[in-house]
Amino acid sequence: MTQIRVENLSVRFISQAKYVLDNVSLSFNTNERILILGESGSGKSTLLLAVLGLLQRCENAEVTGDVFIGDKAVGQMKPREVCQKVGLVFQNPESQFCMLYPEDEVAFGLENLALKSELMQKIINKSCEDVGFNSRLYAQQINNLSGGEQQRLALASIFAQGAEMFLLDEPTANLDPQGRRQVADSTQAAVDKGKGLLVVEHNLEPWFPLLERLVIIKDGQILDDGEPRAIFKKWGAKLGKLGIWRPYAVRVYEELIKLGYNLKEIPLNTQELADMVLAEKIPETIVAEVFARTPENGGIKSNNSLNNKTLMELKALSVGYRKDEEILKDVDLKLVEGDFFALVGANGSGKSTLAKTLIQMVQPISGSITLLDTDLRDMNLRDICSIIGYVFQNPEHQFVEDSVWSELAYSVDQLDIREDKKKDMITSLLKEFDLENVAKSNPFSLSGGQKRRLSVATMLVGQQKILILDEPTFGQDEKSAYKLMNKLGELNKNGVTIFMITHDLDLVEEYANKVAVMVKQSIAFCGETRELWKQHGLIKESGLELPCKIKVRTRIEKNDKAE
Amino acid sequence: MIKLNRFNPTAKLIANVIILITCVVIFDHKTMLALLCASILFGLTTNSFTKKNLKALIPFLLFALAMLWMNALWARVENAQVIGSLGPLEFTDKGLIVGLSLCFRVLTIGITSTIFTTNTDPTELMLSLIKQCRLNPGIAYGILTAFRFLPTMETDLATIKGAHRVRNVKKHKWYMEKGRWYKYAIPLLATNIRKAERVALAMEARGFENNQKRTYYKTVYWKKRDTIFVLCTLVMVSLVVSFSAYKGWLVGFKRWQGF
């Protein structure tokens, strides 16, 4: 166990006037399990990099104050000394490896420690086993591993180096539910071996009660530090107003209190919530009422399949790059005007391919697609794009201009309207998507949420009837994710049909009225959203995870039946 | 049957470079043909002409035939005799010879390089270059990372092209018939620079420093058979060259005569 002390740490990047971290002091032991919570851009990742001493060596960062590991300043330590105390796992699984094969990657860290090569094999095998990275995967290239397995490999790598504390920078943000479970399991295994954790994460559900200390960062300063339940109790709803996301269970707890029901302590995840609700014998009707009062979506809910007019229909569609290799098999799907349609499934189940087929980026082998009563094969891309707006998973891919304003102008220019009207249109779009104050910025310099909103805005100038979004909340924090989702809900209310790809069933529960589940290249379920929640077996098979609300209610229902 | 992947990658690289240099300095078709035959023979004994490798050779073949055709038509040779014509196109005898030697050269380089790349593991090549050629580890790991990024760059580019097509559906104006290439380059570059930055951080976080002592999990040794391999290549090449010099075929390096 080693003590780490952060003393009066301030960090500023040369290109920016604002301090990312402003006089932060923090002290912890390497065997503690700490969660850092804060908005995007509040300096959480920066803090992790500074603890490792990486920023101090960085040329474009101005760092004052000190970080001590034990009694040594991190700036005076060699990288190989630091990595034996603390190891870092990054958010993006694929861009943290420098070797081609898993075994070599774990070995890379040991080579840096100048360990004798005879000892390596044993350490590699043991650390991979300890975090649950299967040795059958050794022969596969790292590029071909799933995101969850890649993060496990990253954990194995720092485990092998003997780091006492694992610094995790949003390790599950880019993963599907199955990958999230894999990472959570591996982290639990590491904790069982006595490792400490310092986690930055937005997706809180799997991390409580594993993490026992909470540090809240706001605008580069530490807002509070202490036991999670105490902090949530002390701040209450004020945290939400400050833009800091609280676990869903905490918000339900607050609503229950308002209704006069008290739980013995604050529940930190849905499991605890369900247990406590059962223990206190709170009636199901009350729970249902509270759930109705705690929507993320501000009450926007799509239930308006306007006039049952079919916009798009897929019949027996099979898709593949080659005849013998089908990525989609026999897909039937119907999109009705006014739908908020969600296409869900684990990574690699074929969701994105389906969407790409709709804009002719992938060609069907057999079957048909009909768009507004016309066969897609008889349409050119121009016709299609006047009906469908398409937002790619990585918004950067769609940017063609060098300022937000001209990005929108580029889209508006595609329309045949008068010059002065064009300008008005751009101004109103900037306002509508909350992009006014960044109108002159380069699209690449925006935050993740802003980039996404811009890419949606550019796709909606032509009054498109259908908006297709490929994983719109991927890699974003809850606040900007829900900001975008509410925007989509609003658009849907105004008559735009939404077709959204996601693996987050909580979002589906909040917003979508229709849902299709993809399992292994074909559609396993298609229908009303509320019907899906009865299909527990299917959800398990698809590798997804039931929404929090549904989980709690199912627990209560089961209990009622048992009694 | 010789198993090529058992040899030291650097030995294979040296052998390949020997052939490459020889090809560049030889300018007559007979010696080049002999070298081509030798490399084909080598390919056959190492069982290297799999379906996949033959596919990889198609571009080389097309390029070689194009060289032959163009040179037979337009090589800058003196006192050339016209030996055939196709409409207004006239083929010359000396042009044909220049064409043949260039065609054989492209094929020889193509075949030996394909044999080299398909029988060499990139990680081993880098390890061997670090150990045998004292390559800076920082550069070697950089190259390996770049190698890992290549396939994703390809899919990224396809997505970016698709995304831009969706953005620009207006009928093209005559002066911008083609998509402007740098519009694709910027997002591709932005993603990859960011990725490279993150990998660099990740490597440092794992204790990597450029000029520190480090050990290696897998070691690639230089064995006796590697020396023999390089010597054999040298002997084979010099045999071919001296035989053709004895026969009086050999024409060494001279002014570029291609079209």
Side-chain angles (χ1 to χ4, degrees):
Chain A
M1 189 188 80
T2 317
Q3 197 195 34
I4 297 180
R5 279 176 298 134
V6 179
E7 285 181 0
N8 306 96
L9 185 74
S10 293
V11 179
R12 185 174 74 90
F13 291 108
I14 301 297
S15 55
Q16 294 162 352
K18 214 181 103 202
Y19 278 86
V20 187
L21 287 178
D22 191 1
N23 204 14
V24 167
S25 295
L26 183 69
S27 155
F28 50 88
N29 288 325
T30 50
N31 64 348
E32 280 187 79
R33 301 195 294 275
I34 308 167
L35 174 71
I36 302 184
L37 215 52
E39 276 182 282
S40 296
S42 62
K44 301 170 306 223
S45 303
T46 313
L47 179 64
L48 294 193
L49 292 179
V51 168
L52 278 159
L54 295 176
L55 275 184
Q56 285 83 335
R57 280 192 291 274
C58 196
E59 275 162 18
N60 56 3
E62 181 193 300
V63 184
T64 54
D66 271 312
V67 176
F68 293 95
I69 297 181
D71 45 14
K72 256 186 171 173
V74 78
Q76 260 83 59
M77 291 168 81
K78 288 199 159 295
R80 71 164 72 157
E81 294 174 278
V82 177
C83 70
Q84 290 177 70
K85 296 290 179 193
V86 283
L88 180 58
V89 173
F90 290 81
Q91 169 179 0
N92 195 331
E94 64 195 4
S95 58
Q96 56 184 321
F97 302 116
C98 62
M99 303 298 274
L100 298 172
Y101 290 95
E103 223 177 325
D104 296 335
E105 185 60 43
V106 183
F108 171 76
L110 303 175
E111 292 170 350
N112 293 336
L113 303 181
L115 209 72
K116 282 206 182 86
S117 51
E118 306 89 84
L119 302 172
M120 289 185 188
Q121 182 74 59
K122 217 174 143 191
I123 300 176
I124 293 170
N125 287 343
K126 183 157 183 347
S127 42
C128 284
E129 198 189 311
D130 281 344
V131 299
F133 184 82
N134 200 317
S135 58
R136 269 179 306 160
L137 299 172
Y138 283 6
Q140 282 205 35
Q141 283 210 8
I142 294 179
N143 278 354
N144 301 334
L145 298 175
S146 75
E149 280 155 356
Q150 287 180 343
Q151 291 299 52
R152 279 186 161 177
L153 177 64
L155 283 167
S157 302
I158 56 174
F159 199 103
Q161 289 191 303
E164 293 171 14
M165 187 177 215
F166 290 5
L167 275 45
L168 314 179
D169 190 359
E170 301 190 39
T172 68
N174 291 18
L175 306 180
D176 63 3
Q178 195 184 349
R180 287 181 178 173
R181 279 193 295 269
Q182 285 175 333
V183 171
D185 290 349
S186 297
T187 320
Q188 179 70 54
V191 167
D192 293 342
K193 303 263 176 216
K195 304 290 180 187
L197 294 175
L198 184 63
V199 185
V200 171
E201 185 63 283
H202 294 295
N203 169 41
L204 303 175
E205 192 63 22
W207 296 101
F208 285 122
L210 180 64
L211 302 173
E212 44 183 25
R213 180 172 162 189
L214 179 64
V215 175
I216 295 181
I217 296 192
K218 171 80 184 161
D219 297 331
Q221 286 174 324
I222 290 185
L223 189 70
D224 207 348
D225 176 2
E227 203 275 322
R229 288 183 222 271
I231 289 186
F232 287 131
K233 184 152 201 145
K234 178 173 142 199
W235 288 83
K238 258 189 284 175
L239 275 186
K241 289 203 184 84
L242 288 170
I244 288 147
W245 201 256
R246 292 157 301 149
Y248 183 66
V250 174
R251 278 172 291 151
V252 171
Y253 167 82
E254 282 158 10
E255 285 303 318
L256 279 173
I257 296 238
K258 278 187 203 157
L259 289 174
Y261 290 89
N262 204 352
L263 302 178
K264 74 174 189 304
E265 56 178 355
I266 297 186
L268 292 176
N269 62 18
T270 35
Q271 181 72 34
E272 286 185 2
L273 176 67
D275 287 342
M276 289 178 194
V277 164
L278 286 177
E280 300 288 331
K281 293 204 175 9
I282 294 174
E284 205 204 324
T285 46
I286 298 294
V287 176
E289 194 189 328
V290 168
F291 282 172
R293 283 169 71 159
T294 49
E296 323 281 8
N297 58 11
I300 299 169
K301 175 99 189 174
S302 176
N303 47 11
N304 52 327
S305 292
L306 291 175
N307 41 18
N308 257 336
K309 186 176 152 207
T310 307
L311 282 184
M312 186 168 68
E313 196 166 12
L314 280 59
K315 272 189 192 145
L317 184 74
S318 288
V319 173
Y321 296 99
R322 279 183 298 158
K323 276 242 149 54
D324 50 340
E325 208 181 55
E326 290 184 348
I327 308 173
L328 292 176
K329 285 178 216 151
D330 236 355
V331 169
D332 289 291
L333 213 67
K334 202 162 124 183
L335 194 64
V336 173
E337 187 163 25
D339 269 348
F340 198 122
F341 194 100
L343 181 64
V344 300
N347 290 351
S349 57
K351 298 171 302 200
S352 293
T353 309
L354 197 157
K356 279 181 186 164
T357 317
L358 302 177
I359 50 160
Q360 295 183 332
M361 264 183 81
V362 190
Q363 299 302 326
I365 299 175
S366 61
S368 72
I369 305 174
T370 337
L371 188 61
L372 285 180
D373 303 322
T374 322
D375 193 298
L376 200 74
R377 273 167 295 197
D378 301 332
M379 301 171 85
N380 60 29
L381 192 65
R382 190 181 183 204
D383 301 333
I384 297 172
C385 289
S386 63
I387 303 168
I388 296 179
Y390 191 106
V391 180
F392 281 75
Q393 191 178 77
N394 183 348
E396 283 183 5
H397 286 159
Q398 278 179 302
F399 296 152
V400 288
E401 290 286 330
D402 41 25
S403 83
V404 171
W405 194 90
S406 49
E407 198 67 54
L408 288 168
Y410 183 91
S411 285
V412 172
D413 198 36
Q414 310 281 324
L415 307 172
D416 299 317
I417 50 173
R418 278 195 3 245
E419 193 105 337
D420 51 332
K421 277 232 175 113
K422 286 182 181 174
K423 279 191 180 153
D424 291 344
M425 200 166 171
I426 297 169
T427 319
S428 68
L429 275 170
L430 284 173
K431 200 169 172 182
E432 192 183 349
F433 285 88
D434 196 10
L435 292 165
E436 285 161 302
N437 45 359
V438 289
K440 288 205 171 65
S441 312
N442 190 304
F444 286 92
S445 68
L446 301 180
S447 78
Q450 288 168 333
K451 275 181 195 159
R452 190 75 58 166
R453 289 204 299 279
L454 175 60
S455 62
V456 174
T458 58
M459 274 298 124
L460 282 174
V461 293
Q463 260 86 54
Q464 275 85 348
K465 279 198 159 58
I466 306 174
L467 185 64
I468 299 178
L469 302 111
D470 192 351
E471 309 254 11
T473 58
F474 186 77
Q476 289 186 63
D477 66 27
E478 263 85 354
K479 197 182 162 199
S480 41
Y482 277 107
K483 192 165 182 178
L484 177 71
M485 289 308 296
N486 287 341
K487 187 75 223 165
L488 294 181
E490 227 174 85
L491 289 169
N492 182 242
K493 213 152 218 173
N494 297 334
V496 180
T497 306
I498 309 274
F499 184 89
M500 177 179 79
I501 295 174
T502 184
H503 50 232
D504 188 339
L505 290 187
D506 281 294
L507 287 182
V508 174
E509 200 267 340
E510 294 280 351
Y511 295 92
N513 65 325
K514 292 241 182 76
V515 61
V517 184
M518 288 205 78
V519 183
K520 290 186 193 125
Q521 282 81 46
S522 42
I523 303 268
F525 172 91
C526 183
E528 299 278 323
T529 306
R530 56 178 175 276
E531 296 298 318
L532 177 64
W533 312 136
K534 295 168 191 162
Q535 314 267 346
H536 292 226
L538 173 71
I539 287 178
K540 200 159 193 182
E541 189 197 349
S542 65
L544 298 170
E545 194 141 334
L546 276 172
C548 295
K549 288 180 187 173
I550 306 297
K551 267 196 226 161
V552 176
R553 294 186 72 162
T554 329
R555 268 292 298 284
I556 296 171
E557 276 165 28
K558 257 189 201 156
N559 195 67
D560 286 352
K561 266 183 206 155
E563 282 173 6
Chain B
M1 198 67 58
I2 307 168
K3 280 220 173 95
L4 258 185
N5 50 13
R6 277 170 51 199
F7 288 97
N8 185 303
T10 307
K12 285 183 268 184
L13 186 65
I14 294 174
N16 197 11
V17 169
I18 291 174
I19 294 173
L20 213 80
I21 292 172
T22 322
C23 283
V24 171
V25 297
I26 288 175
F27 265 73
D28 77 281
H29 61 292
K30 287 178 184 161
T31 323
M32 272 319 309
L33 181 62
L35 270 180
L36 176 62
C37 290
S39 56
I40 290 176
L41 208 68
F42 179 66
L44 288 174
T45 52
T46 53
N47 215 1
S48 296
F49 294 117
T50 56
K51 211 172 167 187
K52 201 177 135 210
N53 291 0
L54 287 176
K55 235 183 217 169
L57 280 173
I58 290 174
F60 285 105
L61 187 68
L62 290 178
F63 184 56
L65 290 178
M67 283 303 255
L68 177 63
W69 164 265
M70 300 295 275
N71 280 294
L73 279 175
W74 291 303
R76 284 172 295 170
V77 281
E78 285 157 18
N79 306 326
Q81 301 285 317
V82 176
I83 49 165
S85 63
L86 190 77
L89 304 172
E90 291 182 333
F91 299 93
T92 62
D93 55 347
K94 286 193 177 165
L96 188 68
I97 288 172
V98 173
L100 274 176
S101 66
L102 288 174
C103 164
F104 293 150
R105 180 189 290 175
V106 170
L107 280 178
T108 313
I109 294 176
I111 288 174
T112 48
S113 305
T114 311
I115 295 175
F116 167 67
T117 44
T118 51
N119 282 300
T120 307
D121 176 67
T123 317
E124 273 180 22
L125 176 64
M126 285 306 142
L127 286 176
S128 147
L129 285 177
I130 292 172
K131 193 166 155 70
Q132 270 94 37
C133 304
R134 314 235 166 267
L135 179 69
N136 182 318
I139 295 173
Y141 286 109
I143 295 173
L144 270 182
T145 313
F147 199 80
R148 231 171 48 76
F149 282 176
L150 275 180
T152 45
M153 275 172 80
E154 209 181 311
T155 45
D156 275 358
L157 188 63
T159 317
I160 291 170
K161 275 191 174 161
H164 285 200
R165 267 179 50 218
V166 171
R167 286 293 307 276
N168 185 13
V169 291
K170 195 178 181 177
K171 273 226 171 80
H172 284 294
K173 292 193 178 112
W174 59 272
Y175 59 84
M176 42 186 289
E177 199 64 54
K178 279 183 189 160
R180 282 168 289 179
W181 63 271
Y182 58 86
K183 292 282 179 195
Y184 300 142
I186 292 168
L188 197 63
L189 215 64
T191 359
N192 280 289
I193 288 176
R194 212 164 303 139
K195 262 193 205 168
E197 237 175 4
R198 276 193 296 244
V199 175
L201 273 180
M203 282 169 72
E204 228 183 307
R206 301 267 299 285
F208 181 83
E209 242 187 324
N210 209 348
N211 298 313
Q212 69 179 0
K213 182 184 169 288
R214 53 186 288 118
T215 51
Y216 293 95
Y217 175 47
K218 288 176 185 156
T219 324
V220 183
Y221 294 101
W222 184 279
K223 291 186 182 140
K224 216 182 260 166
R225 60 160 178 248
D226 299 310
T227 318
I228 295 172
F229 183 76
V230 173
L231 284 178
C232 279
T233 317
L234 258 180
V235 168
M236 193 237 12
V237 171
S238 20
L239 269 180
V240 169
V241 173
S242 41
F243 179 72
S244 88
Y246 168 73
K247 280 279 186 184
W249 298 335
L250 186 70
V251 179
F253 190 80
K254 56 180 186 184
R255 192 173 54 83
W256 172 254
Q257 286 187 320
F259 63 90

